[in-house]
Amino acid sequence: MTQPTVWNDAEHAKQLAHATWMANTAVLMHLNERATGDPARDWLSSWAHRWFVGKDLRVLVLGCGEGWLERAVAQWPFVAHIDAVDFAEEAVARARQAAQGIGKIHYGVVDLNRDELPAEAYDVVLAHSVLHHVENLEHAYAQIGRAMRPAATLIVNEYVGPDRFQYSDDVLSIMNTLLACLGRPPRVRPTVEEMIANDPTEAVRSQALVPLLERAFKVVEHKNIGGTILQHLLYEIAPDYRFEVPRERALVELLCTIEALLVDTRRVPCD
């Protein structure tokens, strides 16, 4: 269920370019194809035509961060109102500043672990890379369900792999074999203590995200995009493989193909 988007937002592009495994055009195209069937079509614009049904829609963006997602959604004429929330006051302040002049976007500070959402207020709820930071998923899902109108849609785009990135020895072995083929040093799996010290919310209950989601909501579509190997293997090195250089692009495309085969044959889980 993990996948990125290609979006014409300079701030979002800057975020992608910082250390992330998605800072590579070949990876983005691969993940787009897994999500939408078209390497040139990002998940957000593709899914909008299917799940943003009607006009004058009210949308809730959870975990808005710096605000790229709601600024993108605000461009659509069928969206009338957007509430964008995050638990980090500083991020909300920056997002609000970036969205000045866009009257349909409204911001708030909300902690999904404990705060309430308004009842039956939204036609679409977007949760992008936020729920894997939530420990009290039961409360969060109850509030999301409460906030949705009867025919509303929840779109979730998340890391759903092992808690605290405690992936298996098998995944680590595959990753390091591929790194060796690239002439790169092996990775070491971070300890739980290291993960907590770096960010106590990172993947705090990520492996419970889907099972609890399936209990709380009717799932109408589930996309296994990947990320199990690639997100750890390509961390900090993805920008080194330039799309405009055929050999470097081909290496990344091969890595993407290998992971896709491993996921689709259930040799590894989908994160």
Side-chain angles (χ1 to χ4, degrees):
M1 289 178 69
T2 300
Q3 72 270 10
T5 179
V6 177
W7 199 262
N8 292 324
D9 184 292
E11 193 167 344
H12 183 234
K14 182 178 179 182
Q15 292 171 0
L16 284 181
H18 180 65
T20 176
W21 63 292
M22 293 182 286
N24 186 285
T25 301
V27 172
L28 290 172
M29 292 178 67
H30 166 73
L31 297 176
N32 282 344
E33 186 171 15
R34 297 280 291 181
T36 73
D38 183 349
R41 192 73 179 273
D42 65 86
W43 66 272
L44 183 59
S45 62
S46 176
W47 295 353
H49 296 287
R50 301 178 60 196
W51 306 118
F52 284 68
V53 180
K55 60 182 180 178
D56 297 327
L57 300 178
R58 295 179 62 87
V59 176
L60 174 62
V61 175
L62 301 172
C64 64
E66 304 292 333
W68 72 268
L69 196 155
E70 61 269 20
R71 292 197 297 275
V73 172
Q75 299 176 37
W76 301 337
F78 45 84
V79 172
H81 179 98
I82 304 169
D83 285 332
V85 301
D86 199 292
F87 75 94
E89 293 185 22
E90 300 84 356
V92 170
R94 290 192 293 270
R96 183 182 287 115
Q97 178 69 27
Q100 281 189 339
I102 308 177
K104 66 174 70 174
I105 302 179
H106 306 269
Y107 285 97
V109 177
V110 171
D111 185 344
L112 292 173
N113 287 293
R114 62 171 186 266
D115 293 339
E116 292 189 354
L117 296 172
E120 295 193 9
Y122 304 104
D123 302 293
V124 180
V125 179
L126 288 167
H128 177 264
S129 296
V130 58
L131 295 177
H132 73 277
H133 289 283
V134 176
E135 185 169 9
N136 192 352
L137 286 168
E138 292 85 354
H139 174 82
Y141 285 155
Q143 288 302 310
I144 293 169
R146 177 176 185 265
M148 295 170 65
R149 291 173 172 174
T153 300
L154 168 63
I155 298 175
V156 176
N157 179 346
E158 288 287 345
Y159 168 77
V160 298
D163 296 352
R164 310 287 189 189
F165 290 170
Q166 296 305 293
Y167 44 82
S168 68
D169 290 342
D170 188 31
V171 167
L172 180 62
S173 175
I174 294 169
M175 183 194 319
N176 284 334
T177 298
L178 294 171
L179 284 168
C181 293
L182 295 174
R184 298 276 186 171
R187 298 285 193 189
V188 176
R189 182 174 46 229
T191 66
V192 172
E193 293 74 21
E194 288 170 339
M195 291 293 298
I196 293 173
N198 183 60
D199 180 356
T201 73
E202 183 62 72
V204 59
R205 288 185 70 199
S206 49
Q207 64 191 45
L209 199 156
V210 172
L212 291 176
L213 185 78
E214 291 173 339
R215 293 184 202 172
F217 302 94
K218 176 185 176 182
V219 178
V220 294
E221 186 170 37
H222 183 127
K223 294 280 190 178
N224 283 324
I225 307 304
T228 309
I229 306 294
L230 293 175
Q231 67 176 316
H232 307 292
L233 186 156
L234 290 175
Y235 179 71
E236 292 186 327
I237 68 171
D240 295 347
Y241 298 92
R242 296 161 293 179
F243 186 78
E244 65 273 15
V245 178
R247 180 179 181 276
E248 295 177 10
R249 179 176 70 248
L251 285 172
V252 175
E253 290 172 343
L254 179 58
L255 294 174
C256 292
T257 300
I258 290 171
E259 182 190 79
L261 287 170
L262 291 170
V263 168
D264 290 345
T265 59
R266 300 187 179 183
R267 176 71 168 77
V268 300
C270 182
D271 290 355

